[in-house]
Amino acid sequence: MSVWDDLIGQEPLAHTLREAVAAARDRLSGGSGRGMTSAWLVTGPPGSGRSNAARAFAAALQCRDGGCGQCHDCHTALLGTHPNVTLVATDRLSIGVDSVRELVRSAALMPANGRWQVVVVEDADRLTEDSADALLKSLEEPSPRTVWMLCAPTAEDVLVTVRSRCRLLVLRTPSPPAITRMLVDRDGVPEVVAAFAARASQGHIGRARRLAHDEATRNRRREILRIPTSLIELGACMVAAANLHEVAQEEGQGVAATLDAKEVGDLEAIYGASARDGRARGYPGALSTLKKDQSKRRTRVVRDTIDGALIDLLSFYRDVLALQTGARTALVNDEVRADIDSLARRGSADSTLRRMEAVLKCREAIAANAAPLLALESMMLDLRV
Ligand SMILES: [Zn+2]
């Protein structure tokens, strides 16, 4: 077991990082440390394990054995509680300039353990232009012991000023067999379920895990895959849009129910007994900021849930297209092959491509802040059989 074992199907990337860790050790012992890089940009599709890769690297830098996976440094670095590893994961839609200035300050401090000060920014695509500006100097001329790990879906998602100062690391989409093996070996999932989850997740490890472990997730996916053949008349299209929207809203409420009250409680605890009746100075302002953030997070959960459903829909039409064009590839949704087959026989490859475009258009509209329900309705109408 080492920290690299967590990188599922990413052998080339793990190799690069191992070399960088060796160079870092060389530098710590007074060598030139050639090959050590202090600003990295880790990219890869959602669920490919960007944050895991960054954490593994952080752990390997702090570990005396280069990432044994067993010692205190490894454990705490992976969890994000290591004093010299800062994890920045945001639930907000953007990372503000104030938090970046704070990060730059703490990144410049000499690490207490005499090794490295590692900062992992999980959503570097959410840096605003001002935040990026605040970061540039530190990326270009970092303090001798500072390592930045920025993560984003693709290099293009990050402002060019930032990405041009980083060494790029690209994660591949993990293959279904690699994910199946992980689910079986590590999580003890039965082979059949693991293979299904790996196939249905299309290389998204988090989704594969949820599908393998959570029946509600499997049921929801089954419902989504029923949509394409149900869209026969206008009414059905409107119902499908409303249902999908409602499920996403419920998901958002669910997250809110588990997190919101706890966060308000934590805030009250910070401000003490006088917080509740509004006498504590600064409390009303802090509470209002928190409420705004919570509302943004709800919005994001709703959008993410809808996006996950749209990806499932796309995979369905991709399967339809595969049958129509006679492509010799395995179906992502083999369990609904009959539906896929019936839709394939009823339409042409052109009509399927048009439907895939409608789904993509809907994803883009929602990402660009369109009202989700309206975007969904318009898409369902375009998907009508
Ligand atoms: Zn270790």
mmCIF file of all heavy atoms in Angstrom, residues 63 67-71 74, ligand 1:
data_model
loop_
_atom_site.group_PDB
_atom_site.id
_atom_site.type_symbol
_atom_site.label_atom_id
_atom_site.label_comp_id
_atom_site.label_asym_id
_atom_site.label_seq_id
_atom_site.Cartn_x
_atom_site.Cartn_y
_atom_site.Cartn_z
ATOM 1 N N CYS A 63 5.953 12.910 3.420
ATOM 2 C CA CYS A 63 6.333 11.624 4.007
ATOM 3 C C CYS A 63 7.847 11.408 3.895
ATOM 4 O O CYS A 63 8.456 11.710 2.878
ATOM 5 C CB CYS A 63 5.596 10.511 3.265
ATOM 6 S SG CYS A 63 6.141 8.855 3.693
ATOM 7 N N GLY A 67 5.866 8.700 0.496
ATOM 8 C CA GLY A 67 4.463 8.345 0.274
ATOM 9 C C GLY A 67 4.143 6.915 0.637
ATOM 10 O O GLY A 67 3.531 6.188 -0.148
ATOM 11 N N CYS A 68 4.519 6.510 1.879
ATOM 12 C CA CYS A 68 4.309 5.124 2.308
ATOM 13 C C CYS A 68 2.817 4.817 2.488
ATOM 14 O O CYS A 68 2.406 3.673 2.427
ATOM 15 C CB CYS A 68 5.062 4.859 3.608
ATOM 16 S SG CYS A 68 4.381 5.769 5.024
ATOM 17 N N GLY A 69 2.010 5.850 2.744
ATOM 18 C CA GLY A 69 0.582 5.625 2.947
ATOM 19 C C GLY A 69 0.234 5.180 4.350
ATOM 20 O O GLY A 69 -0.940 5.001 4.676
ATOM 21 N N GLN A 70 1.250 4.959 5.203
ATOM 22 C CA GLN A 70 0.997 4.428 6.539
ATOM 23 C C GLN A 70 1.274 5.439 7.643
ATOM 24 O O GLN A 70 0.631 5.399 8.685
ATOM 25 C CB GLN A 70 1.903 3.206 6.813
ATOM 26 C CG GLN A 70 1.986 2.200 5.688
ATOM 27 C CD GLN A 70 0.665 1.497 5.482
ATOM 28 O OE1 GLN A 70 -0.063 1.277 6.451
ATOM 29 N NE2 GLN A 70 0.332 1.179 4.251
ATOM 30 N N CYS A 71 2.226 6.324 7.426
ATOM 31 C CA CYS A 71 2.690 7.167 8.535
ATOM 32 C C CYS A 71 1.714 8.312 8.812
ATOM 33 O O CYS A 71 0.777 8.552 8.056
ATOM 34 C CB CYS A 71 4.086 7.715 8.227
ATOM 35 S SG CYS A 71 4.086 8.945 6.907
ATOM 36 N N CYS A 74 1.489 10.961 5.988
ATOM 37 C CA CYS A 74 0.664 10.506 4.860
ATOM 38 C C CYS A 74 -0.819 10.616 5.192
ATOM 39 O O CYS A 74 -1.599 11.182 4.428
ATOM 40 C CB CYS A 74 0.999 9.058 4.505
ATOM 41 S SG CYS A 74 2.470 8.899 3.484
HETATM 42 ZN ZN ZN B 1 4.259 8.110 4.772
#
